[in-house]
Every structure is written in structure tokens, then in C-alpha cells.
């Protein structure tokens, strides 16, 4: 059979034999049956699939709600997905998942994470709530302070700060309650976490005590200056409140008498503490005059230091002669250092006058005189390290130029003596103040004046060159005639003139 059905290649396919046509017919029938079967099978499969209800199942690992602290790290536990159906059951093969697992933990808040898987184009989503929470309270920092609570100041807030891990600086939001014995500070952050701090307050209820150095009754010798002996104010907490003490009352230090000083401390509430001190100004002790053993010449130079003073000091040094300078500030400090030099070279320094004002204005009042005097004393102290007790009145104690102020010389000589100052006039005049400008005449005047005196206080002016030029000859004459030369001190013969005003 098969041989017979051997096909001939030469014959066109369209033209068949009867057998061939029969065979063709049979083949077409089978094909139709196959298609029907396939459609039927597909129908069955579709029906099975519908019955199966195949779908994705997404399962979360870990809980549906998770909490993480702000600033912390969120680690997602993940999820898994498989397909499931009523008929064919759950598949073991995992399904692909898409998920966004990032959570911003820098701020408190909520994030919903979704995990998605799909089967046959149908998606299933599982969700997880992640709560970023802040459970850390703010931190209150109290400023440490040495400024103690005191009777004077009351309590002064030294300051504080509040800092939160999320909200930052919360200082402005701090609630401050001042109680009798403490201050309470509270603050809450935006998540409601509360912080509290406390600062104890130690109130002093007792008024301070003012203690007076030297006591409440002091006696001082008359002087140009009154130096406050000192005081201290302490409250019951041991706070030193001295700087808040106000001293009132006045001591006239050069006027013998009794004065009262009041030391008061008062706080803002008007509470006050007061201490009183009596100051008795008594006459200073005046040293007794001590006369030298030998006939002595006290050379004294007024009105300098000036342009010739250095040369004069050189001459004095050459002969080892000590003298006395009654100084001024006529050259406005230009030669002031010579005061220091003279002092260090063993000469005595006394006050003459700060200004040597031509109108004699230092005699307008006692205050005017003392002001001028004190100004010169200060320069002397700068130059020598100490004040001096020696001085010479401008014009001498016998001057009449001060008569525009009746009795001023009488009062000043008493005041100054009561203060322990020793004023010096002179008993030998060189004549250099006006009567001559000749060096030889100055030498002649001095030598004549000294002759026959056991103590000579010689008046010269070291701002006059011709007078300074006379000094070497005076020294040579004095030494060759057996005189000693010395500087004045508080016990020296003062050669007082009679007071004429
Ligand atoms: Zn003078």
C-alpha cells in the first residue's frame, strides 16, 4: 500500500487521484477535532483558574506597627510573598516584591511602608506603619555664677539654657517660677517631653554689719590729708558688700576739731545699715629745735628746679655739701627729675609753691593755699617717694603781699604748724631776689651775713645763674672759715620772721 502511495514529484499537488482526495478529506476532519479539543481544554483550564482564584499573598515579617527613636536607625524586617488559590493551593515559589523601605528618622512622624506583589496582573499590597518618636526630654543647663545672692542685691538670675535634641534651643520657652527658697525651671519639647531644673536661693534677711577699721573713735594729727582708716560691710551670708558703702560727712584734716563720718549701705528696698565714726583732729607734734654743735650754714635755694639746678648739684656734689631746695613747678615739670636727683644726693626737699603765681593767688584762702601746696607735695612724692614736712612760704612768712586777705599768714602759720609742717624763713639774704645781679655781690652778702652766726639759713634762688655761680666761692669761704654745711630737717632752726599779716 505504501509503495503505491508513493508520491510523484513531477505531478502538480493540486491535481490528485481519487485516493489522494479521500486521504485529504480524512486529514481535514482530524484537524477540526483537534482545534475543538484545544478550545475545550482551554475552556476547562480557564474555568479551573477562575475556580482556583489564584492571587498573591504578602506576609510582613515583624509587626504591622513599629516604633523607632528619632535620630535612630530603622531596620526593616522585610516581607515575603507567594501565590495562593482555592484549587491548587499555596505555591512554594516566592513572588517578587516591590517595597519602599526608607524611613526618615531625623524628625518625629509616621511613615507607611507598602510591600507589593502581583499575580495575573492583580496586585496585593501589605502595609506597615513606622512611627518615629521622640522620648528624650530637653536638657536645662543652669549657669554657674559667683555672684551670690546678698542682702544688697537680692537674688539675681545668673542665666540658664534649654536644649532639645529635636527642637534645638528652647531657652525662650522655659517657664521660671521663683519660690521662697528656690527657682524652678520647666520646659517641654514639641513631643511633650518635659524637663525640670531647680536652683536653691539663700536669702539673707539680716542687714549687713559695717565694721570700721580703727574703731568708731579715731584720733589723728592735723594734716593736709585725711586717710580713711578703712571699713568693711558683710552680710549674714558672708558676702562682702564694702563697695556699696557710701561715706558721708567731712573731715577738715588741717583743722583741729571733732568730725563725724557716716558709713551707709542701702539696698533697693530702702533697708539701710549705718555706722558712725568720730574723727578727732588734734595738733601734730612739732619736733623740738636741735642746734648743731658747730657753726652751720644751711644753703637754701628757692623757686627751682630750673635750667641751672643741675650745675648747682654738680658743684654741691664736688664739695660734698648738702643743701635744701624749696621747689616749685614753674617749668611745668621740665626739671622735675632734678628734685629726685637732689633728694638721692642727700639734699633736703621742701615745698615752696606749685605755681608761684605772680598775683599771689595762693593766699586767697586757706583752701587755695592747701591746693597749691598739695599739688607740689604730689610732685615731690613722685620724685622722692615721700611727702615732705618742710616748706617755705612764697614771699616768706613775713610777706605783706598777702595783705589783700587779712590775717591769712597768721592763720596759715598756725594751721601749718598744727599739722606738723615746719616752715623756714631765712636769716641771711643773698640779695639775689632783686637788689643785685652780681655774683661777687651775692658772695659778699652771704659771707657777711653768715659771719658771727652759729646757725645761718641762707636764701638764694637756683633759677638765677649769677646766684648759682656764687655757690662755689661761698662754699670755699665757709669751709676755710670753719663752717659746716648741712641740709635742713624738721628739727633745724627755722629762722622765723615775724608775721606781718
Ligand atoms: Zn619764691
Amino acid at each position: 500500500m505504501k509503495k503505491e502511495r508513493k508520491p510523484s514529484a513531477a505531478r502538480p499537488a493540486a491535481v490528485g487521484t481519487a485516493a489522494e482526495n479521500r486521504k485529504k478529506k480524512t486529514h481535514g476532519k482530524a484537524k477540526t477535532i483537534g482545534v475543538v479539543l484545544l478550545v475545550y481544554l482551554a475552556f476547562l483550564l480557564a474555568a479551573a483558574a477562575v475556580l482556583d482564584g489564584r492571587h498573591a499573598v504578602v506576609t510582613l515579617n515583624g509587626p504591622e506597627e513599629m516604633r523607632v527613636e528619632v535620630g535612630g536607625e530603622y531596620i526593616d524586617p522585610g516581607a515575603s510573598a507567594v501565590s495562593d488559590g482555592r484549587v491548587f493551593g499555596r505555591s512554594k515559589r516566592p513572588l517578587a516584591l516591590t517595597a519602599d523601605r526608607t524611613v526618615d528618622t531625623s524628625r518625629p512622624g509616621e511613615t507607611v511602608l507598602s510591600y507589593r506583589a502581583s499575580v495575573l496582573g492583580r496586585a496585593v499590597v501589605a502595609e506597615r506603619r513606622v512611627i518615629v518618636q521622640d522620648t528624650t526630654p530637653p536638657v536645662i543647663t543652669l549657669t554657674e555664677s559667683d555672684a551670690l545672692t546678698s542682702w544688697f542685691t537680692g537674688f539675681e538670675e545668673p542665666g540658664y539654657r534649654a536644649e532639645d535634641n529635636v527642637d534645638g534651643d528652647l531657652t525662650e520657652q522655659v517657664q521660671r517660677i521663683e519660690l521662697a527658697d528656690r527657682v524652678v525651671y520647666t520646659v517641654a519639647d514639641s513631643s511633650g517631653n518635659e524637663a525640670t531644673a531647680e536652683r536653691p536661693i539663700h536669702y539673707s534677711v539680716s542687714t549687713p554689719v559695717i565694721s570700721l577699721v580703727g574703731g568708731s573713735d579715731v584720733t589723728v594729727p592735723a594734716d593736709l590729708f585725711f586717710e580713711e582708716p578703712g571699713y568693711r560691710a558683710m552680710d549674714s551670708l558672708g558676702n562682702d558688700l564694702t563697695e556699696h558703702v557710701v561715706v558721708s560727712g567731712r573731715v577738715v584734716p588741717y583743722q583741729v576739731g571733732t568730725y563725724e563720718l557716716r558709713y551707709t549701705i542701702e539696698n533697693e528696698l530702702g533697708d539701710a545699715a549705718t555706722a558712725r565714726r568720730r574723727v578727732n583732729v588734734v595738733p601734730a607734734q612739732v619736733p623740738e629745735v636741735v642746734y648743731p654743735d658747730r657753726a652751720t650754714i644751711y644753703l637754701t635755694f628757692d623757686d627751682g628746679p630750673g635750667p641751672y639746678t643741675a650745675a648747682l648739684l654738680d658743684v654741691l656734689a664736688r664739695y660734698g655739701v648738702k643743701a635744701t631746695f624749696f621747689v616749685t613747678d614753674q617749668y611745668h615739670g621740665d626739671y622735675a627729675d632734678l628734685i629726685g636727683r637732689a633728694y638721692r644726693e642727700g639734699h633736703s626737699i621742701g615745698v615752696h609753691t606749685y605755681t608761684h603765681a605772680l598775683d599771689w593767688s595762693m593766699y586767697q584762702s586757706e583752701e587755695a593755699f592747701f591746693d597749691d601746696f598739695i599739688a607740689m607735695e604730689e610732685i615731690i612724692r613722685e620724685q622722692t617717694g615721700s611727702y615732705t614736712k618742710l616748706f617755705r612760704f612764697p614771699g616768706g612768712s613775713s610777706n605783706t603781699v598777702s595783705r589783700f586777705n587779712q590775717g591769712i599768714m597768721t592763720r596759715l602759720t598756725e594751721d601749718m604748724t598744727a599739722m606738723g609742717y615746719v616752715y623756714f624763713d631765712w636769716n641771711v639774704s643773698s640779695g639775689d631776689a632783686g637788689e643785685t645781679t652780681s655774683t661777687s655781690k651775692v658772695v659778699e652778702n652771704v659771707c657777711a651775713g653768715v659771719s658771727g652766726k652759729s646757725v645761718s639759713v641762707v636764701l638764694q634762688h637756683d633759677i638765677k645763674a649769677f646766684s648759682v655761680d656764687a655757690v662755689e666761692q661761698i662754699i670755699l669761704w665757709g669751709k676755710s672759715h670753719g663752717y659746716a654745711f648741712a641740709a635742713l630737717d624738721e628739727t633745724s632752726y627755722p629762722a622765723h620772721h615775724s608775721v606781718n599779716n
Side-chain angles (χ1 to χ4, degrees):
M1 275 283 284
K2 274 191 178 171
K3 273 180 192 172
E4 281 174 3
R5 272 195 246 151
K6 189 169 122 191
S8 166
R11 211 182 298 154
V15 184
T17 60
E20 275 170 345
N21 284 339
R22 214 168 34 243
K23 189 179 176 185
K24 207 174 189 178
K25 205 172 179 179
T26 311
H27 186 72
K29 213 178 255 180
K31 200 172 182 180
T32 305
I33 291 165
V35 167
V36 170
L37 279 173
L38 273 173
V39 168
Y40 180 68
L41 193 63
F43 172 77
L44 282 178
L45 278 171
V50 168
L51 283 171
D52 187 39
R54 191 128 296 264
H55 60 281
V57 175
V58 181
T59 310
L60 292 178
N61 301 334
E64 283 181 11
E65 183 179 300
M66 288 183 69
R67 284 171 187 269
V68 59
E69 188 67 17
V70 68
E73 194 191 348
Y74 173 71
I75 299 165
D76 189 64
S80 59
V82 289
S83 69
D84 197 1
R86 283 187 290 272
V87 178
F88 300 107
R90 184 164 289 208
S91 160
K92 284 194 175 130
R93 202 158 51 86
L95 286 175
L97 267 174
T98 54
D100 176 14
R101 301 177 182 189
T102 54
V103 173
D104 176 11
T105 61
S106 69
R107 308 277 324 158
E110 262 188 48
T111 308
V112 176
L113 299 179
S114 46
Y115 306 81
R116 177 187 296 263
S118 53
V119 168
L120 299 173
R122 284 192 308 162
V124 169
V125 174
E127 291 184 338
R128 187 192 326 264
R129 230 153 65 95
V130 180
I131 298 166
V132 178
Q133 62 183 8
D134 172 26
T135 61
T136 309
V139 175
I140 299 176
T141 312
L142 302 181
T143 309
E144 299 274 345
S145 173
D146 292 336
L148 288 167
T149 297
S150 75
W151 170 89
F152 188 78
T153 59
F155 174 75
E156 280 181 274
E157 175 59 56
Y160 51 85
R161 274 182 61 77
E163 194 75 35
D164 185 65
N165 59 330
V166 170
D167 303 326
D169 190 348
L170 289 179
T171 307
E172 295 276 301
Q173 274 87 276
V174 172
Q175 298 284 314
R176 191 181 161 282
I177 301 163
E178 199 169 317
L179 302 172
D181 59 344
R182 65 193 193 278
V183 184
V184 180
Y185 309 82
T186 50
V187 73
D189 67 12
S190 55
S191 300
N193 299 302
E194 208 169 83
T196 301
E198 283 192 12
R199 185 199 296 277
I201 311 175
H202 303 290
Y203 276 122
S204 165
V205 288
S206 54
T207 46
V209 174
I210 300 174
S211 50
L212 302 176
V213 177
S216 58
D217 198 325
V218 298
T219 298
V220 293
D223 200 344
L224 283 172
F225 311 98
F226 170 70
E227 205 173 316
E228 166 59 48
Y231 50 87
R232 202 156 182 223
M234 301 279 283
D235 71 9
S236 56
L237 289 176
N239 295 310
D240 190 339
L241 304 179
T242 305
E243 62 173 315
H244 304 294
V245 172
V246 175
V247 184
S248 57
R250 180 171 173 247
V251 173
V252 184
Y254 51 82
Q255 227 158 59
V256 170
T258 299
Y259 304 89
E260 189 187 74
L261 294 176
R262 281 182 308 285
Y263 305 79
T264 307
I265 183 167
E266 191 175 331
N267 68 12
E268 282 177 7
L269 303 171
D271 299 330
T274 303
R276 291 168 204 279
R277 171 156 31 215
R278 248 159 63 102
V279 178
N280 309 295
V281 176
V282 298
Q285 279 208 312
V286 182
E288 295 270 314
V289 174
V290 177
Y291 291 90
D293 299 333
R294 289 175 61 185
T296 299
I297 299 171
Y298 296 98
L299 295 178
T300 71
F301 299 94
D302 287 10
D303 295 0
Y308 317 111
T309 308
L312 170 59
L313 288 169
D314 292 343
V315 171
L316 296 171
R318 199 177 311 143
Y319 293 96
V321 167
K322 306 304 176 198
T324 302
F325 292 85
F326 291 109
V327 293
T328 70
D329 188 49
Q330 289 195 88
Y331 295 94
H332 311 295
D334 279 357
Y335 302 97
D337 60 315
L338 294 175
I339 296 173
R341 178 184 160 190
Y343 179 79
R344 287 188 296 276
E345 293 180 1
H347 306 292
S348 289
I349 306 297
V351 173
H352 190 34
T353 161
Y354 180 72
T355 59
H356 219 316
L358 295 172
D359 60 0
W360 305 94
S361 55
M362 74 288 287
Y363 292 132
Q364 276 171 355
S365 65
E366 282 161 282
E367 280 72 21
F369 181 84
F370 296 141
D371 285 349
D372 175 89
F373 192 97
I374 289 167
M376 199 62 234
E377 274 276 51
E378 293 298 347
I379 293 175
I380 291 171
R381 191 173 70 151
E382 277 169 29
Q383 291 296 326
T384 69
S386 59
Y387 295 115
T388 178
K389 284 289 181 188
L390 316 181
F391 77 105
R392 175 171 282 155
F393 284 108
S397 67
S398 58
N399 80 76
T400 52
V401 293
S402 62
R403 280 188 176 165
F404 64 88
N405 184 355
Q406 195 65 44
I408 183 70
M409 296 314 299
T410 304
R411 295 194 296 278
L412 286 176
T413 50
E414 285 170 4
D415 289 347
M416 295 300 280
T417 304
M419 286 186 266
Y421 286 92
V422 182
Y423 69 91
F424 290 86
D425 287 312
W426 57 91
N427 61 1
V428 175
S429 180
S430 66
D432 71 353
E435 107 196 22
T436 185
T437 55
S438 149
T439 298
S440 58
K441 186 67 181 160
V442 168
V443 176
E444 192 184 316
N445 285 344
V446 172
C447 295
V450 165
S451 294
K453 288 192 177 74
S454 60
V455 180
S456 297
V457 180
V458 178
L459 171 65
Q460 281 188 263
H461 295 83
D462 57 327
I463 58 167
K464 296 187 173 175
F466 71 90
S467 190
V468 169
D469 288 344
V471 172
E472 185 164 16
Q473 293 175 68
I474 293 168
I475 292 170
L476 290 170
W477 178 90
K479 287 190 176 256
S480 66
H481 289 77
Y483 291 94
F485 288 89
L488 294 168
D489 63 39
E490 291 172 50
T491 67
S492 302
Y493 169 67
H496 282 172
H497 297 171
S498 56
V499 173
N500 294 314
N501 175 25

